Amino acid sequence: VPGVMIKIREGRETGPWTTSHAQLVIGRLNWHLVRRWDLLAEGRVLMVEEAEDQRAGVLTAAHYHFGKHIKGGIGYNFTDFSDDLTDLDYDSRGWFLNIVGKY
């Protein structure tokens, strides 16, 4: 699984820069529920090699189709990490809004 190489350091203004390799693996299930509603569930695993850290969790969402080309939804991230592999603050748990354009 390809990952991302990023540069990190101990503190905001302190410590030397070091290289970190992070990988995010996501398994997703999409269900077309009824009429214009979809449900989504993701299992996620984040592996940060240099920190010898591995975290796992679940993300869920419900989307409503507003016509053929756009859908909007609300979801909850039960993990404490983001799909942005450069964001290693581990404070991403919580509600989110999502708007998706489709072709």
Side-chain angles (χ1 to χ4, degrees):
V1 175
V4 172
M5 184 181 70
I6 57 175
K7 296 280 189 174
I8 60 172
R9 60 184 179 178
E10 293 175 15
R12 188 171 194 87
E13 299 290 330
T14 62
W17 288 96
T18 58
T19 301
S20 178
H21 295 87
Q23 294 180 329
L24 178 63
V25 178
I26 299 174
R28 175 186 279 187
L29 294 172
N30 290 312
W31 292 284
H32 179 66
L33 193 58
V34 290
R35 296 189 184 247
R36 296 177 173 221
W37 286 97
D38 292 340
L39 296 178
L40 172 139
E42 290 183 353
R44 296 172 156 215
V45 178
L46 175 66
M47 297 162 282
V48 182
E49 191 175 309
E50 284 71 17
E52 297 179 0
D53 189 18
Q54 181 171 316
R55 296 165 183 255
V58 176
L59 178 141
T60 61
H63 291 95
Y64 181 80
H65 291 259
F66 297 99
K68 292 182 180 180
H69 301 292
I70 193 164
K71 66 181 179 178
I74 187 168
Y76 194 83
N77 182 4
F78 291 93
T79 68
D80 58 359
F81 55 89
S82 168
D83 57 2
D84 176 357
L85 297 182
T86 63
D87 177 10
L88 298 177
D89 292 339
Y90 303 118
D91 63 354
S92 297
R93 181 180 313 267
W95 293 99
F96 63 90
L97 294 174
N98 194 11
I99 297 175
V100 179
K102 57 184 184 166
Y103 180 68

